[in-house]
Amino acid sequence: MLPNVVVVGTQWGDEGKGKVVDVLSTRADAVVRFQGGNNAGHTLVVDGEKIVLHLLPSGILRPACLCVLGNGVVIDPGVLWKEIDALEARGVPVDAGRLLVSARAHVILPIHKQLDLLREDARGDAKIGTTGRGIGPTYGDKVARAGVRVVDLLDRASLTERIRAAWSSVGRAVADGGGDLPDQDAVIEEYLVYGDRLRPMVGDAAGVLYRIRAGGGSVLFEGAQGTFLDVDHGTYPYVTSSNTVAGAACTGAGVGPTAIDEVVGIVKAYTTRVGSGPFPTEVGGETGEWLRAAGAEYGATTGRPRRCGWFDAPLVRQAVRLNGVTRLALTKLDVLSGLAEVPVCVRYGGADVDGWPLSLEQARPEYASLPGWGVDLGSCRSFEDLPEACRAYVAWIEEAVGAPVDLVSVGPGREQTLVRGGLFAG
Ligand code: GDP
Ligand code: IMO
Ligand code: MG
């Protein structure tokens, strides 16, 4: 049986969390998103067909798996309905039996999206490069105790009161910034319609998860973004507005720390980042372009080209520690095929080998070169099929970051997944 597992990104997002959660979800009773919103883009490739999920958990293609949006998620109800409709059009039913939405999750309003964009504009050259989905302002209102929750969508009086309050705070900021405020009453009506559609799916998610676990079932907690986009532990202020580390699964789903058995860190065989902020091992020029093309590194949510760079061992080692990672899943190893030598960052100059700099702006990466491999890995089906140099690269990563690599991914498809053991071998 699958233990209760938290899956998190160990870099700046887009490590391949969706693919790994999809693979693991055959053995899970529930998959829960616990933070973030539709800033995420999690890609699944099934029989050559690509599906990008922004809000729905990546267990949605497994009929026996309950998908849960936990209290820690921020939900744009219009986007959620589009995603549900698109899946249903492909023959994947998404009804109350498949999807549970926490009544306590916060709701993104049109004015949150406007404020997100206006704040980005106002930052000029210092812009964060947000996804523009209203994530920051919505979490801001949650913490300021001024937010709208899913439960409010079910009741005209509370929704009206909450939206009027939002218009007098966020709305004022939007108007001050020169934004065109949408009509309040029209938004109330629109969101009540979302509420009516959502009603059968809304519930006490924490209670349902408790009962699944009490009955011996297993729960997968699907992280979004990555460790260094965490609002506390990331490259602040160039971060997202939620905690993305494994500990957030507890607060964002409503389970205690003792409910978590394992933490799987998803790690790309190199590094990417979308948006602004420090990135010590970034490579520009032709090499950077080559990596971007080889890895098809364009954002699953915004389509923006991702910044690319080499594997950064101090970064991932820090992620292993911050998340309590027990096992790693290494993705996109196939992308590095063809390089004569693979540069890897072994330490940051000036920092003691074990230390972590106070700011990544100051990190000066020092590199070593590992032998490359010429062959294409896409058709490998077991770890033993991998060329010797490739296995040595994996072994080097395990040693450098202090966690075992139990799964290796050599392509986007489900079948391009090499299981080495541990919890993946169920
Ligand atoms: P997530 O946000 O962590 O779920 O990752 P994304 O879906 O945003 O980005 C990962 C991209 O890499 C997607 O296009 C995946 O289909 C693709 N992918 C995942 N694993 C592999 C792999 O092992 N090799 C290759 N070439 N592509 C992969
Ligand atoms: P997944 O789950 C990569 C980045 C944005 C921006 C910063 C803040 O697919 O890995 P936000 O809209 O959250 O306020 O933007 O965070 N970002 C991501 N980068 N993958 C993601 O999600 C991301 N979600 C947000 O590009 O730099
Ligand atoms: Mg993504």
Side-chain angles (χ1 to χ4, degrees), residues 12-14 17 39-42 129-131 224-225 229 239-240 274 304:
W12 278 285
D14 305 326
K17 298 175 290 295
N39 48 350
H42 296 181
T130 73
T131 58
Q225 290 81 53
L229 288 170
V239 293
T240 190
V274 202
R304 287 177 289 175

Side-chain angles (χ1 to χ4, degrees), residues 13-17 39-43 52-53 225 299-301 306:
D14 305 326
E15 297 90 349
K17 298 175 290 295
N39 48 350
H42 296 181
T43 313
V52 181
L53 300 168
Q225 290 81 53
T301 296
R306 295 175 182 148

Side-chain angles (χ1 to χ4, degrees), residues 113-193:
K113 287 182 266 189
Q114 288 178 294
L115 187 58
D116 191 359
L117 298 173
L118 285 168
R119 282 185 178 158
E120 281 285 270
D121 266 357
R123 290 179 72 99
D125 288 346
K127 74 174 185 323
I128 304 212
T130 73
T131 58
R133 304 300 194 258
I135 306 296
T138 306
Y139 276 117
D141 270 1
K142 168 178 173 172
V143 178
R145 295 161 295 191
V148 178
R149 298 188 303 165
V150 167
V151 67
D152 298 316
L153 300 180
L154 308 183
D155 180 74
R156 176 176 287 274
S158 7
L159 185 66
T160 305
E161 185 191 324
R162 306 305 299 166
I163 286 202
R164 299 235 185 279
W167 249 250
S168 62
S169 54
V170 183
R172 182 168 306 167
V174 169
D176 288 349
D180 227 354
L181 272 185
D183 180 64
Q184 232 181 94
D185 294 327
V187 174
I188 292 170
E189 295 310 318
E190 181 190 346
Y191 275 58
L192 281 170
V193 172

Side-chain angles (χ1 to χ4, degrees), residues 168-244:
S168 62
S169 54
V170 183
R172 182 168 306 167
V174 169
D176 288 349
D180 227 354
L181 272 185
D183 180 64
Q184 232 181 94
D185 294 327
V187 174
I188 292 170
E189 295 310 318
E190 181 190 346
Y191 275 58
L192 281 170
V193 172
Y194 294 140
D196 269 346
R197 267 192 92 175
L198 268 181
R199 196 179 300 271
M201 301 173 174
V202 176
D204 168 26
V208 170
L209 292 174
Y210 174 78
R211 284 187 288 279
I212 288 175
R213 290 186 301 102
S218 52
V219 178
L220 253 175
F221 300 85
E222 178 178 2
Q225 290 81 53
T227 300
F228 297 96
L229 288 170
D230 182 284
V231 67
D232 285 283
H233 300 287
T235 47
Y236 193 90
Y238 300 100
V239 293
T240 190
S241 297
S242 65
N243 284 113
T244 61

Side-chain angles (χ1 to χ4, degrees), residues 279-285 287-289 291-292 307-310 367:
F279 179 174
T281 62
E282 182 169 17
V283 278
T287 313
E289 292 291 340
L291 261 178
R292 183 174 305 119
R307 298 158 65 193
C308 296
W310 301 121
Y367 292 94

